[in-house]
Amino acid sequence: MADDSPLDRDRIIECLSRHEVEYLLVGGIGAQMHGATRPTRDFDSLPATSKENLDRLASAMRELNARLRVEGMTDEESRALPLPLDAESLARMDVSTWRTDAGDLDVLTAIPTRDGGRARYDELAVRAERVEIGGVVVMVAGLDDIIASKESANRTKDREALIELRELRER
């Protein structure tokens, strides 16, 4: 798969659903579910971190032929890395970036909050919204939580996205 391959959001969602992975959509893909039009090139997910759920996630990722996405490395070089794709490896990484046959997939254990903290799945899930995509119900982090994470990240792309996200919140 070339680095510029498009994201196949529906394929990733279908695979995660079939493997019964508990997760929230966050980041740009989560913003799109709230109506944002800004494009995104990756699928930002925030899974529940129980061993059982991370086992299911690892299984889904293996089905999608996931391999680490490492800046400065070719896809072939990253495929050769001796990292097992299992619950233990996923649990050790706060943020991991992966390339799959369905596009880039980021796995986060928490997102930043306005007060400088980090919110995990259990805290965010109570404010999440259910959205149906292609017949599959997915959980999307609340718009305020997505806005807070982008404010905290404060990267140029996040500041640019905040304009539209704040407009969506005001509607």
Side-chain angles (χ1 to χ4, degrees), residues 18-165:
R18 210 168 4 85
H19 286 268
E20 299 180 359
V21 178
E22 293 177 64
Y23 69 98
L24 299 174
L25 291 176
V26 295
I29 195 90
Q32 286 180 347
M33 297 303 104
H34 286 287
T37 58
R38 186 176 180 80
T40 186
R41 296 188 60 159
D42 57 15
F43 187 100
D44 294 314
S45 66
L46 194 152
T49 56
S50 70
K51 181 185 182 321
E52 297 78 18
N53 193 60
L54 292 177
D55 278 334
R56 294 189 297 267
L57 174 59
S59 180
M61 291 173 67
R62 286 191 300 271
E63 181 179 322
L64 291 168
N65 195 26
R67 58 266 184 207
L68 278 176
R69 188 174 81 235
V70 180
E71 190 168 337
M73 290 184 100
T74 67
D75 201 34
E76 286 306 311
E77 289 170 331
S78 66
R79 286 178 195 269
L81 292 172
L83 176 73
L85 182 45
D86 56 24
E88 292 76 20
S89 296
L90 290 171
R92 284 193 297 270
M93 295 183 265
D94 284 338
V95 175
S96 57
T97 58
W98 302 84
R99 176 144 293 133
T100 78
D101 292 344
D104 291 346
L105 169 66
D106 294 351
V107 178
L108 301 91
T109 58
I111 59 173
T113 60
R114 282 189 181 90
D115 63 4
R118 298 187 43 80
R120 296 187 172 277
Y121 176 87
D122 291 337
E123 179 182 345
L124 296 166
V126 297
R127 296 186 298 272
E129 297 182 23
R130 295 179 187 281
V131 176
E132 185 175 325
I133 301 172
V136 177
V137 174
V138 296
M139 299 285 289
V140 181
L143 183 56
D144 281 338
D145 290 320
I146 291 172
I147 289 172
S149 72
K150 292 198 172 289
E151 287 171 345
S152 180
N154 199 29
R155 299 171 298 189
T156 300
K157 69 179 186 174
D158 295 310
R159 288 190 301 271
E160 292 169 356
L162 280 167
I163 297 165
E164 182 182 27
L165 294 174

